[in-house]
């Protein structure tokens, strides 16, 4: 990634490349790497709107919810005052969806997962017919994750199903599906989902975080099977 950045240095695409790298870590669930790269992004582009979003997320992560909310609210005000917001209907939908995503993030950090699931769902609904399905996967994953964390794994599985049908190698989604089946005590379905997860991880690096999580889930599946 550093090599990519060096090759793009001083170009107008530099910030976009860095932003895409941060987003890739986020979408992959590599939050330690996201944390490091978002810090670098903030240092390089302190005035960027993305930097403001990252600051807000980091504040919420440390429990400074009111400060995070103030940043998110100020961004929404800035966006709603732009000409494109007034002139382009799709822009209004995107701003409204992002506002709901901010609400969902804060609710998840506060461990109010039911409220978070509701906001993630509304956010997805606003964008469902405006962006390609694969571009909705992160939002839909967070929607499913919040439902699972709220104790509603059946709904979580419903949300995960069409994404895994489109791409059966989505690691985070598979991890979550195994967790849902475990919570519902569905031994065979948990085992099958675990096998699919292990298959998807077959070529991953040895230190890839999901490998360890898959090993832990395998122990839980075995324990459930014995108890069953």
């Amino acid at each position: 990634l550093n090599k990519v950045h060096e090759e793009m240095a001083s170009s107008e695409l530099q910030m976009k490349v860095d932003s895409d790298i941060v987003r890739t870590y986020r979408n992959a669930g590599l939050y330690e790497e996201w944390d490091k790269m978002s810090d670098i992004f903030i240092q390089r582009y302190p005035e960027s709107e993305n930097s403001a979003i990252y600051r807000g997320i980091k504040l919420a992560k440390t429990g400074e919810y009111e400060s995070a909310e103030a940043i998110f609210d100020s961004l929404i005000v800035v966006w709603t005052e732009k000409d494109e917001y007034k002139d382009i209907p799709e822009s209004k939908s995107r701003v409204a969806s992002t506002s709901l995503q901010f609400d969902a993030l804060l609710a998840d950090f506060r461990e109010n997962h039911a409220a978070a699931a509701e906001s993630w769902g509304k956010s997805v609904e606003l964008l469902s017919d405006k962006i390609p399905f694969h571009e909705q996967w992160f939002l839909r994953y967070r929607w499913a994750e919040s439902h699972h964390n709220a104790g509603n794994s059946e709904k979580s599985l419903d949300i995960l199903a069409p994404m895994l049908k489109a791409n059966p190698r989505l690691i985070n989604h598979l991890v979550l599906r195994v967790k849902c089946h475990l919570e519902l005590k569905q031994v065979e379905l948990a085992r099958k989902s675990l096998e699919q997860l292990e298959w998807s991880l077959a070529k991953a690096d040895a230190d890839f975080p999901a490998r360890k999580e898959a090993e832990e889930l395998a122990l839980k599946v075995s324990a459930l099977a014995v108890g069953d």
Side-chain angles (χ1 to χ4, degrees), residues 112-153:
N112 187 352
H113 300 300
E118 183 177 359
S119 292
W120 287 121
K122 290 179 179 178
S123 174
V124 169
E125 184 179 352
L126 283 171
L127 296 178
S128 61
D129 61 346
K130 295 177 176 62
I131 62 175
F133 183 53
H134 70 275
E135 292 182 14
Q136 303 171 32
W137 286 353
F138 173 76
L139 296 180
R140 289 177 179 270
Y141 168 80
R142 290 301 302 262
W143 183 20
E145 183 182 47
S146 292
H147 270 298
H148 169 69
N149 289 336
N152 192 1
S153 286

Side-chain angles (χ1 to χ4, degrees), residues 186-205:
Q186 298 169 333
V187 180
E188 286 305 313
L189 291 174
R191 184 182 289 116
K192 288 180 181 178
S193 292
L194 178 64
E195 289 174 355
Q196 190 172 348
L197 172 61
E198 292 171 338
W199 168 71
S200 299
L201 287 168
K203 295 183 179 180
D205 294 340

